[in-house]
Amino acid sequence: MRALLQRVGRASVCSEGSPCGAIQAGLLVFLGVAKEDGEEDAAFLARKTANLRIFEDENGKMNLSVKDIQGSALVVSQFTLYSDTSRGNRPSFEQAADPKSAEQLYRRYVELLRAEGLPVETGVFQTDMQVELLNEGPVTLLLESRKK
């Protein structure tokens, strides 16, 4: 699994033109699921997402987690995180999980983030979405469960 995290002052997502999720300070998480991913990958990434210290403390050091700042997470599925652009000009998505498996792990990741104590908003799986955000820093990090 891959989670592209963006530290945000606010973020929102609409699905097919209708608002479906919005947060203030916290993390916007674009989540991609690969064919070989399972429960352990979701658990690892949820734990890492909730506890990663990327928010500034009183001394301006990145020393606080999203839980420490009492922030929220907005999780948006994004199969394109598993694109392969090494050949030609059209991306291949062979590494991405099939929609049914991906949705199960996406939902499990969201459940696990909530179990960590985070308020979580989501997009709508497998729809056309529009995302707006105010990236703070900017801070953008890629987490991968296979690189634990």
Side-chain angles (χ1 to χ4, degrees), residues 5 7 10 14 16 25-27 33 39 53-54 56 58 61 65 70 72 74-75 85 90 101 104 115 133 141-142:
L5 307 181
R7 190 176 76 181
R10 68 176 183 279
C14 293
E16 299 176 346
L27 294 172
V33 180
E39 171 77 22
R53 299 182 323 177
I54 61 171
E56 293 180 358
E58 65 278 356
K61 301 254 187 217
S65 71
Q70 298 179 338
S72 303
L74 174 60
V75 182
T85 58
R90 184 168 187 234
S101 300
Q104 287 176 335
L133 68 134
L141 301 167
L142 180 63

Side-chain angles (χ1 to χ4, degrees), residues 31-93:
L31 187 70
V33 180
K35 288 178 182 177
E36 68 275 2
D37 290 336
E39 171 77 22
E40 286 182 14
D41 298 285
F44 171 81
L45 278 186
R47 220 175 16 260
K48 191 75 164 177
T49 299
N51 294 292
L52 194 64
R53 299 182 323 177
I54 61 171
F55 292 87
E56 293 180 358
D57 64 15
E58 65 278 356
N59 297 315
K61 301 254 187 217
M62 284 200 286
N63 205 24
L64 302 173
S65 71
V66 67
K67 291 191 324 186
D68 294 331
I69 67 156
Q70 298 179 338
S72 303
L74 174 60
V75 182
V76 176
S77 63
Q78 189 167 358
F79 77 96
T80 60
L81 286 175
Y82 277 99
S83 65
D84 178 359
T85 58
S86 62
R87 291 177 283 149
N89 294 318
R90 184 168 187 234
S92 165
F93 302 104

Side-chain angles (χ1 to χ4, degrees), residues 113-132:
L113 276 183
R114 288 182 176 138
E116 288 279 345
L118 288 180
V120 180
E121 296 281 324
T122 65
V124 178
F125 191 85
Q126 206 174 5
T127 66
D128 184 38
M129 291 179 274
Q130 300 76 44
V131 179
E132 291 186 351

